[in-house]
Amino acid sequence: AQSVTQLGSHVSVSEGALVLLRCNYSSSVPPYLFWYVQYPNQGLQLLLKYTTGATLVKGINGFEAEFKKSETSFHLTKPSAHMSDAAEYFCAVIQTGANNLFFGTGTRLTVIP
Amino acid sequence: ETGVTQTPRHLVMGMTNKKSLKCEQHLGHNAMYWYKQSAKKPLELMFVYSLEERVENNSVPSRFSPECPNSSHLFLHLHTLQPEDSALYLCASSQESGIRGNTIYFGEGSWLTVV
């Protein structure tokens, strides 16, 4: 079975500071990994995804994530937080079978002016 | 605008009511999904349709009844719901189902409150 753990349900950073949102996965087969963002009162928007190839993946809005197989991690980072980054972020791993994305419980990011 | 449109955005219904959520995708995708998002819980996959055929049903109570008349439209019919069914219901679509790495695109969700 596959699963995703997001450490920290709430993360607060100052505007301009580094953003680091943690995601660890469990998978018996090479995973496909995703980060989605959900702004208030909106659906989920894909930030980035790792399938194969380069382990450092760049996404929208200046975010990137690195797939580290040895650490079973796919942490999301952004060098400098912006107020508009305040949202909930979900890490997800593909589940074998019918294309089911298995989601973590989410991390709410607060950006302090 | 993600190409996946859900209506209504907000719905309040009594436990004896019958209502439906509608989803339409404008992306030319062949697979559509219903997810449930409850507070402090991971998103839960409810149903998956591929080319209008249901391919996955994650043990969802029968008070939720999906319908996929064509590859662009997906409905979730609701009847005799319980207060614990109050949640955000997200529709999504992808090019195909069953293909790993296939990106899933979400609608903005329908907020359901059962009173």
Side-chain angles (χ1 to χ4, degrees):
Chain A
Q2 299 179 347
S3 65
V4 172
T5 302
Q6 290 184 242
L7 296 176
S9 58
H10 291 86
V11 170
S12 293
V13 300
S14 298
E15 189 175 16
L18 171 71
V19 176
L20 171 60
L21 304 182
R22 299 179 185 275
C23 173
N24 288 87
Y25 68 90
S26 170
S27 175
S28 58
V29 297
Y32 287 8
L33 295 156
F34 301 77
W35 275 100
Y36 280 85
V37 60
Q38 186 176 33
Y39 297 103
N41 300 316
Q42 293 189 26
L44 275 70
Q45 179 182 1
L46 180 68
L47 268 181
L48 49 80
K49 69 177 181 180
Y50 168 77
T51 55
T52 58
T55 56
L56 181 63
V57 181
K58 295 186 184 298
I60 62 172
N61 301 338
F63 284 93
E64 61 183 34
E66 186 171 11
F67 169 61
K68 292 187 176 181
K69 184 178 179 180
S70 61
E71 299 177 8
T72 61
S73 69
F74 191 56
H75 302 329
L76 182 70
T77 61
K78 182 174 179 177
S80 177
H82 192 273
M83 296 298 295
S84 61
D85 295 326
E88 187 139 20
Y89 293 80
F90 294 90
C91 183
V93 62
I94 205 77
Q95 183 174 345
T96 55
N99 200 39
N100 180 19
L101 273 179
F102 195 90
F103 286 87
T105 51
T107 298
R108 184 169 299 277
L109 176 66
T110 300
V111 181
I112 303 167
Chain B
E1 176 58 47
T2 64
V4 181
T5 304
Q6 291 187 239
T7 55
R9 292 295 312 280
H10 299 271
L11 177 64
V12 179
M13 59 185 290
M15 289 189 285
T16 59
N17 291 159
K18 289 185 180 181
K19 297 287 184 182
S20 296
L21 305 180
K22 178 183 176 182
C23 177
E24 182 175 2
Q25 58 96 359
H26 312 277
L27 301 170
H29 289 168
N30 292 322
M32 296 189 76
Y33 311 76
W34 280 116
Y35 280 84
K36 177 183 178 182
Q37 186 178 22
S38 305
K40 300 182 180 179
K41 293 175 67 175
L43 273 77
E44 304 169 54
L45 178 67
M46 300 175 73
F47 301 102
V48 180
Y49 276 83
S50 177
L51 296 173
E52 302 120 58
E53 289 191 19
R54 190 188 305 179
V55 297
E56 186 154 338
N57 172 0
N58 282 359
S59 302
V60 178
S62 59
R63 56 186 184 268
F64 295 93
S65 175
E67 178 190 2
C68 187
N70 55 62
S71 59
S72 297
H73 293 85
L74 184 64
F75 295 88
L76 188 62
H77 303 301
L78 316 168
H79 63 99
T80 60
L81 295 192
Q82 304 299 311
E84 59 265 28
D85 296 322
S86 299
L88 177 66
Y89 289 84
L90 291 164
C91 176
S93 72
S94 64
Q95 184 60 47
E96 305 288 347
S97 71
I99 298 177
R100 298 171 70 216
N102 203 2
T103 299
I104 294 179
Y105 295 86
F106 287 83
E108 295 191 331
S110 294
W111 287 97
L112 173 66
T113 303
V114 181
V115 297

